[in-house]
DNA sequence: TTGAAAGCGGTACCAC
DNA sequence: GTGGTACCGCTTTCAA
């Protein structure tokens, strides 16, 4: 009933534990016959190595900590799936922690994960303005989907400015002139970048439209309400560039419930291109990111770091593309 | 730079490691002053216990293995979120593994997770017909969302038959007479239960409708195609009870793309009530489950088992409710 | 080629 | 109340 240890294998073969250990790990000089015998017996007995004991000896445990806002966010769900697949390839496993974008939670998470003995951490930091945050991390780590301006962390992220730019330019080119944007009230790389791209497109198009830049701040749940309030308080607009698809869906739902037609009266463009964008009504125009790539690439890099391999590129940046559908 | 151990704390205070250990864990007889001193110094030095060493001594590591089909499935995403929150309350963490509903993957997962030293496992088994499967699990475990007929496992699941029943009854009561259902080609508790409920409702309504029971088998991606093929091959129907919302969305999308009107010509009812059901077009009528409850309850039970507490109820069953919207 | 023994960071038993 | 020490399962010198 009790777990089979290396000792049991040794005893049953009248060998020493050291020989068994070497045989099992293909190390040192062990007679080929002995090695075979040991491996067979180990299999017969159903021996499984105790990772904790190994980890205690300074070996890796095969655990990767993942710190994100929320695993139900379809964007992160896809990213995590990519991570999971890549990790599995290298016999690593994922330890998932949600922070709900709360800084304190993140601090705890970093602390806890390291106590659990993770070999590395994949993190989408709550606040990417102060690199100091990452000081608490004593294991290798990779930043996912965020970017610190002044630091040389390993990062895998998206060209957010380009994303904001192509979304806005598309709206301008399809004849919209009063484009507002709704962004969360957080100073993170994605909001900064998307805002920048939005403004850049307006600027480039005409001085006039540049002056009409309006950035509304909101949580995802209130995105629709915020837009509505803006419209009611004399503001006008014929297009909305939403922070992401959740925002876009919320906005479209509320707009339509008030009898406004999307995209005829108001066009809406989202971001992330979540799988549901093709099912909603109207189908959602969105800036598409390869979420699987984000997960895979970051995980691959982290595992390389853990294994002490050379990292050629410390930064991988993805160019988003616009998926034009019916909403704008 | 190196990690602070209990030894460092002991040395810096000129105490023995045993005293420090006892002080830190509030165990045995230790002078209150000593205890205070030790705790303060430990904090100062930034001591963090090495969980691996503890685990090696037979203590729990604080790790829960989670084995599910796919974390991007919104249903599981919500369940996992509930688990994560509950686990965090008790200072436990989640080790996530996707199986893609593949049996071999599940076998590996069970094996790997235990090697990583998880204290327990939360599992939605790929196949819930043969309890033998679970033999490989040597730690406490709880079945989530599935139910083994002949076994006394701890389980948290849904009354699937009731779900299938209320969905179908609703369609019948709103005047539909030719109701088909599309289910995955897997013999798992949810499909068995939903099918049963579907047939029960038809039976109860009229012998005639009972004879019209049609169960199509399909993967989520092909759900639409399968229904279309059925319609084209002379079959007629005015309503579809879909296995879940993903199936429903796929069916609706394809039906509409062929010019059919939902729900006017064909009503569609889904299952799970994923968050996007209110954004799609038409909004989705769906059998609603409390996913958070599933996650919380199963995790709470598992942690109780791990801590050796008495389990009053080995089974928790949830009654679903129908959320009527526009699709049927 | 093989074995004995130290040690990783803790816990717990047993003396003192 | 405190310290010494064996031990958890495994790796890794160092001798034999």
């Amino acid at each position: 009933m009790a777990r089979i240890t290396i000792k049991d294998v040794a005893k049953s073969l009248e060998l020493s534990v050291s020989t068994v250990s070497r045989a099992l790990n293909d190390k040192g000089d062990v007679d080929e016959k002995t090695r075979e015998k040991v491996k067979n017996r180990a299999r017969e007995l159903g021996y499984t190595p105790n990772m904790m004991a190994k980890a205690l000896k300074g070996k890796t445990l095969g655990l990767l900590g993942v710190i994100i806002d929320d695993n139900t966010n379809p964007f992160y769900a896809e990213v995590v799936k990519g991570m999971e697949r890549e990790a599995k390839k290298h016999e690593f496993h994922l330890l998932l922690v949600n922070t709900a974008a709360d800084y304190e939670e993140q601090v705890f998470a970093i602390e806890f994960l390291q106590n659990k003995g993770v070999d590395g951490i994949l993190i989408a930091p709550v606040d990417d303005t102060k690199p100091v945050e990452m000081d608490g991390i004593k294991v290798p780590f990779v930043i996912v989907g965020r970017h610190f301006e002044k630091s040389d962390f390993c990062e895998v992220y998206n060209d957010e400015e380009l994303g904001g730019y192509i979304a806005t330019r598309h709206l301008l080119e399809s004849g919209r002139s009063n484009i507002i944007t709704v962004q969360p009230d957080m100073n993170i790389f994605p909001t900064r970048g998307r805002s920048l791209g939005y403004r850049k497109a307006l600027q480039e198009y005409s001085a006039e439209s540049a002056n009409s830049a309006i950035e509304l701040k909101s949580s995802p749940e209130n995105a629709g309400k915020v837009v509505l309030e803006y419209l009611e308080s004399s503001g006008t607009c014929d297009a909305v560039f939403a922070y992401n698809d959740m925002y876009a869906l919320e906005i479209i739902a509320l707009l339509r419930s008030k009898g406004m037609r999307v995209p005829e009266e108001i066009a809406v463009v989202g971001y992330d291109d979540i799988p549901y964008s093709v099912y909603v009504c109207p189908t959602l125009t969105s800036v598409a990111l390869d979420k699987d790539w984000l997960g895979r690439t970051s995980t691959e890099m982290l595992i390389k770091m853990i294994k002490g391999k050379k990292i050629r590129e410390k930064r991988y940046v993805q160019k988003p593309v616009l998926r034009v559908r019916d909403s704008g």
Side-chain angles (χ1 to χ4, degrees), chain A:
Chain A
M1 200 58 233
R3 193 180 176 135
I4 306 292
T5 75
I6 203 169
K7 241 184 219 165
D8 301 315
V9 180
K11 203 171 296 171
S12 104
L13 245 35
E14 302 202 308
L15 280 170
S16 71
V17 288
S18 18
T19 306
V20 174
S21 171
R22 266 169 290 159
L24 255 19
N25 295 293
D26 292 314
K27 266 192 195 149
D29 291 320
V30 180
D31 190 286
E32 261 319 305
K33 284 173 200 159
T34 316
R35 195 185 295 282
E36 274 312 300
K37 267 201 304 190
V38 170
K39 286 195 174 178
N40 286 333
R41 180 56 59 91
R43 210 185 339 268
E44 283 167 33
L45 259 38
Y47 164 77
T48 52
N50 182 326
M51 302 307 280
M52 257 91 59
K54 285 198 186 195
L56 197 52
K57 279 302 259 183
K59 300 270 167 274
T60 73
L61 231 188
L63 252 35
L64 264 30
V66 176
I67 306 179
I68 55 172
D69 289 357
D70 178 4
N71 73 293
T72 61
N73 178 329
F75 172 76
Y76 284 119
E78 298 279 346
V79 173
V80 168
K81 188 177 182 177
M83 292 173 170
E84 208 265 342
R85 259 209 305 270
E86 184 66 26
K88 197 176 271 173
K89 264 199 228 164
H90 304 275
E91 306 207 359
F92 272 76
H93 278 284
L94 258 38
L95 247 159
L96 181 77
V97 185
N98 289 330
T99 61
D102 181 274
Y103 183 71
E104 287 305 313
E105 289 279 359
Q106 176 180 299
V107 173
F108 286 139
I110 291 176
E111 167 95 23
F112 274 142
L113 284 177
Q114 294 187 99
N115 285 347
K116 301 289 181 202
V118 294
D119 304 307
I121 292 180
L122 293 159
I123 180 171
V126 170
D127 182 340
D128 53 18
T129 55
K130 352 186 241 296
V132 192
E133 293 188 345
M134 301 296 119
D135 272 5
I137 311 191
K138 297 177 181 69
V139 294
F141 65 95
V142 174
I143 311 281
V144 185
R146 303 279 155 97
H147 168 56
F148 286 83
E149 301 292 346
K150 282 162 190 155
S151 77
D152 62 342
F153 297 149
C154 289
E155 300 176 327
V156 180
Y157 59 98
N158 313 301
D159 188 338
E160 305 287 2
E161 189 178 327
L162 178 63
Y165 176 78
I166 57 178
T168 312
R169 194 187 56 188
H170 164 74
L171 288 169
L172 287 164
E173 285 176 350
S174 43
R176 309 291 168 162
S177 52
N178 265 297
I179 307 169
I180 66 171
T181 184
V182 185
Q183 303 280 330
D185 196 7
M186 292 188 285
N187 181 18
I188 48 177
F189 179 67
T191 58
R192 291 196 301 275
R194 292 173 204 184
S195 286
L196 226 57
Y198 160 74
R199 287 171 176 280
K200 192 176 143 201
L202 291 183
Q203 192 97 35
E204 209 172 279
Y205 202 74
S206 76
E208 198 178 331
S209 57
N211 289 332
S212 72
I214 300 281
E215 298 194 33
L216 268 25
K217 296 291 181 192
S218 165
S219 65
E221 308 80 45
N222 286 320
K225 212 159 69 184
V226 165
V227 171
L228 221 53
E229 280 168 10
Y230 172 74
L231 289 174
E232 281 165 0
S233 71
S234 83
T236 61
C237 83
D238 55 7
V240 181
F241 167 43
Y243 173 66
N244 67 23
D245 291 350
M246 319 278 268
Y247 279 72
L249 294 182
E250 204 51 63
I251 291 166
I252 292 175
L254 207 55
L255 250 34
R256 291 182 50 148
S257 79
K258 294 296 173 187
M260 270 169 274
R261 285 173 309 148
V262 178
E264 292 82 355
E265 295 177 60
I266 299 188
V268 178
V269 172
Y271 208 108
D272 288 351
D273 192 40
I274 64 176
Y276 308 93
S277 35
V278 296
Y279 298 118
V280 298
C281 200
T283 57
L284 202 58
T285 294
S286 185
V287 177
L289 263 19
D290 188 341
K291 290 143 299 244
D292 184 62
W293 177 88
L294 273 175
R296 268 183 5 242
T297 311
S298 54
T299 306
E300 199 183 345
M301 177 147 66
L302 181 59
I303 293 178
K304 265 191 191 154
M305 292 163 73
I306 292 171
K307 295 193 169 167
K309 290 189 190 153
K310 267 256 170 54
I311 304 296
R312 277 180 219 160
E313 295 286 336
K314 293 196 94 175
R315 293 211 174 126
Y316 289 86
V317 185
Q318 177 181 189
K319 300 256 173 258
V321 295
L322 190 70
R323 267 261 216 265
V324 180
R325 299 201 186 84
D326 298 336
S327 71

